Amino acid sequence: QTGAFTYDPGFTSTASCQSKLTYIDGDEGVLLHRGYAIGDLAENSSFMEVAYLLLNGELPNQDELSGFTNTITRHTMVHEQLAAFFRGFRRDAHPMAIMCGVVGALSAFYHDSTDIHDPVQRTIASHRLIAKIPTIAAMAYKYSVGQPFLYPDNSLSYTGNFLRMTFGVPAEAYEVNPAVEKAMDRIFILHADHEQNASTSTVRLAGSSGANPFACIAAGIACLWGPAHGGANEAALNMLREIGTPDRIPEFIARAKDKNDPFRLMGFGHRVYKNYDPRATVMQKTVREVFDALKVNDPLFETALRLEEIALNDEYFVEKKLFPNVDFYSGVILSAIGFPTEMFTVLFALARTVGWVAQWNEMITDPDQKIGRPRQLYTGPTQRAYVPVEKR
Ligand code: SDX
């Protein structure tokens, strides 16, 4: 398998592409990035290392990793005018609305890296996006809670820098908790790339028209926001909060099975995985590590574990091959770390920017690449004569 796109009769997209980045075997629950299993990467690698791997095709040696990390670090600050741009939003704007707006406007601030035919500008735009997305995400959070923006501190790691910009305040020193930093970095790895999912296909389709990379990533952010896609992590925790205690689980299972009820178990099911999402396995293990490190225990985790157990023993879910996906447990961890639910999809977008950028580069440098132009099955009326309004 070279990642060739195989048509699934139920699959609506006619987008087809070949890619060397990510391979998924949905039946076996396998996810590989450039041939490396997600479990190995999550256990042994770092997000910067996985970013290098996705962008360049090989795991970096120490010099390559240091060089890449330093390059990304040097791009973490945003144009000072961007802070003014933020002030146009209402304080209660959803952070994903801010992300769509700010990232979509980046070409107005960095127009010297928008020429997609110039390999140097493509590389600079790629580095700027990966480096600035955490700064913008932290600014979106700070703006929503009425706290001042913090500039990046480049003595910290990529993930540590993000945590400090998010939770630090100018009035006091911020100590990055190593266990939280490790868990967050692993969560970023789990969300980095995932083959031709809806938002990645959106980025590729936007990029195929020659749109600048900042606009393409903004298109991906908009698509990811949907509750059926990246918005599911926010929806899954809201669902667990609505369920509350395990005794109410049967009521929600019944609703999820009721065709007349639009309710679905958020964080369950997948367009490709018809087996356990390997990322959910790592995510569940990470919940326990974060709880131990922070000495917290959210009863919603027990509710989530019980919900999984009941669902995976229910013939509806077994027959339809519906398993927990990457979004089912992530909210419990992110909430324990201190993020509000509105920030969950922002964190997904932060991590997925690496995959989107890598997929965009692969697409834009493909000599055979043409503009994407999905066709349709026309089911409208056959040709007919015009009828003047007075005769209708
Ligand atoms: C992500 O594509 C990617 O790779 C995405 C992603 C990534 O990393 O980019 O993995 C991230 O988006 C994960 C998915 C997050 N979304 C959710 O958790 C939302 C809840 N899940 C569902 O909305 C749903 O499972 C989808 C949208 C993910 C998939 O929907 P499909 O394509 O309809 O799933 P399916 O064809 O496998 O469904 C089979 C049946 C259907 O019923 P029937 O038409 O056969 O009667 O199962 C039903 C579905 O209605 N079903 C569910 C269900 N998911 C599917 N029923 C109840 N609860 C659910 N969660």
Side-chain angles (χ1 to χ4, degrees), residues 194 228-229 264-265 267-268 270-271 274 279 316 352:
H194 208 243
H229 189 12
R264 284 189 164 181
L265 275 193
F268 255 78
H270 197 274
R271 203 72 196 85
K274 301 310 169 191
R279 302 168 296 174
Y316 173 92
R352 186 53 58 88

Side-chain angles (χ1 to χ4, degrees), residues 329-366:
Y329 289 107
S330 58
V332 173
I333 307 175
L334 298 174
S335 176
I337 291 173
F339 293 102
T341 49
E342 297 75 23
M343 278 295 288
F344 291 179
T345 310
V346 171
L347 299 171
F348 194 149
L350 187 166
R352 186 53 58 88
T353 294
V354 160
W356 288 331
V357 165
Q359 297 261 359
W360 176 81
N361 275 286
E362 183 180 59
M363 183 272 303
I364 210 78
T365 53
D366 174 358

Side-chain angles (χ1 to χ4, degrees), residues 2 12 33 57 62 82 102 104 124 136 142 147 151 155 158 173 178 207 239 262 274 308 340 344 349 364 367 388 391:
T2 55
T12 53
H33 290 317
Q62 191 53 60
L82 212 61
V102 172
I124 294 171
I136 294 166
K142 284 305 200 191
Q147 290 184 356
Y151 288 107
S155 67
Y158 181 88
M239 174 190 73
K274 301 310 169 191
E308 174 188 334
F344 291 179
I364 210 78
K391 292 188 175 165

